[in-house]
Amino acid sequence: MARLSLFTVVALAISGLVSAAPVQEVDLSNKELAKRSTYSGTATFFHPATEGGSTGACGPEENNNSAIVALNAPQYGDLSSKSDWCGKTITIKGPAGTATARINDACPECGHGSLDLTPSLFKKVVGDESIGEADITWSLS
C-alpha cells in the first residue's frame, strides 16, 4: 500500500510540474499562414511603363520585361502604403507553365488571389496576350 501511495504522490507531483510549464505562443499571423498557402485566382497583364508608371507600389522600378507582379488589393492591404507582401518571391502556375516572380506592385481592380503580370511573365505562365486572362495558382517560393 505504501508503494502505491508513493507512486501516486510522485505521479501527482510530475503532473503538477508539467501543467505548470509555460505555454509557448505560436504566431499564426498572415505571414506565417501565407508560407503554407496556395492561392487561386485570375492572371491578367499590364504594361508598367504606360499603365501606372515605371515605379510600382512597392518602390523598385519595373518594365514590361520584369519578372514582377501586381498583387490584388484585398491581399496587398492599404494601397497608400508599402505592403508586407512587397519584395516577396512567388511561384506562379498557369496553363502555359510555371514562373518565379517578385511582388512589386498592387492591382486595385484584381480580386483576392489574382495577379496582374508583366507581358513577358504572362507569356511564360498563360501564353499569348490575346488570351487576355487565365486561371492560375501561386504561392510564396
Side-chain angles (χ1 to χ4, degrees), residues 5-70:
S5 294
L6 181 59
F7 175 77
T8 304
V9 169
V10 171
L12 288 173
I14 290 172
S15 68
L17 290 174
V18 171
S19 66
V23 176
Q24 183 179 7
E25 282 189 39
V26 178
D27 180 12
L28 294 178
S29 67
N30 188 28
K31 291 179 208 170
E32 248 340 273
L33 292 175
K35 290 180 184 176
R36 299 181 207 127
S37 297
T38 298
Y39 302 97
S40 298
T42 302
T44 53
F45 65 90
F46 73 115
H47 297 93
T50 56
E51 299 170 7
S54 60
T55 303
C58 297
E61 288 195 19
E62 54 193 33
N63 62 53
N64 294 349
N65 296 315
S66 300
I68 61 98
V69 300

